[in-house]
Amino acid sequence: PGATLTSRRSPRHSLRHWCGAGLLICAVVGYLGLSSALVAIRSPLGALSVSRDREARRGVSSREAVATLKEPSRSGTEAQISKFALWHGIGDLGIRLLSRLPPRLLQVALRNFEPVGSDDATIQLLRHLSDRGLVRVQSSEDHLTCATLVLDELDLKRSKFHLYGISQVEGLSHEDDGSRELPAALAESEELAAFLSNHVRLLREAEVDMESSDAFFVTAMAAFRLRDCQPVVSVLLPVVHEVGPRFVSELKPSQLAATLRFLANLGSEDKELHRLLALGLAKKVDQCGPHVLGNVSLDLARLGGAPKDALQAIASATVAKRHLFQPWQLSGVLCGMADLGYRNNGLLKAAVGYTRANIGLVAPEDAVRIVYAFATLNATEPQLLQAVSQAATWKMDRFTARQLSLLMWSFATLQYRIPRLIDYATTRAERILEDFDPQGLSNMVWALAKLGADEPAFLAAAGDVAVAQIRDFGSQELSNLVWGFAALRQRHGALMKAAAEVAESRIDSFGHQELSNLAWAYGKCRFPAPSLISAIAGAASSKMSDFSPQGLGNLAQAFFKLGYRNESVMLEISAASILKVDEMKAIDWEQVLRCIDFMDVPMEKVVENAELPSLSSGRLAECPQKALELLSLLAKREPEAEQAIGLAKALEEERQRRGKEAP
């Protein structure tokens, strides 16, 4: 105990140790040096960058290769290239490109090439050469040259490869900052026309299998990516419509969804192909992930419809996989379904639960799309709306003008008023008021009016901005804007005057609902605009049968409040009201009858210009007494007519009912 133990190594042992370490270090250094040398030899950008070799190692474009094809090939390398091509199944295109390479680069090209899989060996060789910078097939011109070089020998697989390459060239694809123009030389190329014609022929003659289905998909994709080049689209899109039904069954789910997106962007109108693609996707919907489901609903909406079975399948798959969805993907499904008018209660219920559970992850754009979908489908879900409202107030500083207007439009459409949300939204809107476009500004004011939210500061500022943009407003936007101000009793004089001038200049573009809203707004504010009211009366005269009972009442009320007299138009309003007698409410009748009295139009003249309505008994409960007298005069005009007999019977029953109710 307490003794110290020491060990001593022999000199012989230490020497062996240091020698072994030295040998190991030498081996590692040697290996690294050898590897670097091999990499430098193989790589076209390696250490062999001697000045005399730089030009040779820069690569040979396919156009340069084609330009010198007629030169005699080198006898020293001809046998080597032929043996290499025979062994690997390389076609004429590959042989000709290899024959143009300098001897040193040829060895680099042949080294380490081994075709794999089922892809064509020549295509793989092109990729091999391109990856090493030995031949450039990374532009549309190079792909086109390679394709037209052996145009008569191209099969569908090679043609597909080159079409894909042409469509991928930088400058043809659409970016977020806008579309780029197609080079005029390519668009007008005779070689391109010949290649496309040959590709279309191959696609039409192809048998239905996986490879030809891929070629069909690439064709649709190329038409989409080259959509700025009308000559290309005019060739490819018709063949996509023609052969598409044959290949639908062989396409993968992602290809089916992408093809629908391509067609939507190209403005395709082939409803049968759209239907087949949607049904094909429905059969494979279990293989679709959230990304596919989130986009395909929107694309089907852009195409204008889809079979109910396909929508049911997409909705069911979304419900089953909702735990895998990101908020933007779920909102895409909901938005697409809403635009298609398809309501699936299971999907809506799942969306409510998902949104409440993940409300912290929901971005403003997603929140807006979710609540927009519920509003479009007229599905009021208080729990969802409360959750979205709370999230929106948290993130209000991130909302854009467009998102704000759509959010408020959705809550107004559902008639769901949350004062705190309105306060936050109007405060944010006032800060970014200059960012609102006419539609956004109109929607915002309309929504506040529907929700009964009087915000004087915001409305005053919004009116000023609207005056500056008044020439950009469409007919619906303009009528909704002034209607909103009038409904909130905000009489913005500059806006009303500017809106009247613009509306009068384009009155023929206003529909019956827009004319009704416009007239009601000026009547409500009692804002004098005689020339506008006269223009509204003239435009309404030719559309009187399209007006709803409320619209007819709005016209009459505006004429009365603004002191406008026009007997012929009033007779037309009266005649239209009588024809819609079973739909007219008491308030509508009162407005029409009051305007008749104001214009001193005799009842006999009203009866003379009216037609007998078709109605069943028991439909006159909303008629005031004066309206019943008017209808009684009308029934006596042609007592033998079938419609007059029915009207007289309904009038008698209504008199008896009112007699029993009288004290």
Side-chain angles (χ1 to χ4, degrees), residues 101 123 175 183 199 207 267 406 430 451-452 483 488 529 626 648:
L101 293 175
I123 294 174
E175 304 292 345
H199 178 81
E207 296 182 2
L406 197 54
E430 195 170 350
L451 293 171
W483 180 91
L488 291 170
K626 193 169 183 179

Side-chain angles (χ1 to χ4, degrees), residues 270-318:
D270 191 336
K271 301 300 182 184
E272 179 61 18
L273 179 57
H274 305 164
R275 186 184 71 83
L276 292 174
L277 287 167
L279 291 175
L281 186 68
K283 293 178 182 178
K284 303 176 183 180
V285 74
D286 292 338
Q287 305 172 40
C288 296
H291 181 77
V292 171
L293 295 172
N295 285 328
V296 74
S297 300
L298 294 170
D299 293 328
L300 288 172
R302 291 169 62 196
L303 289 170
K308 189 175 181 179
D309 292 344
L311 298 179
Q312 174 64 42
I314 293 172
S316 299
T318 301

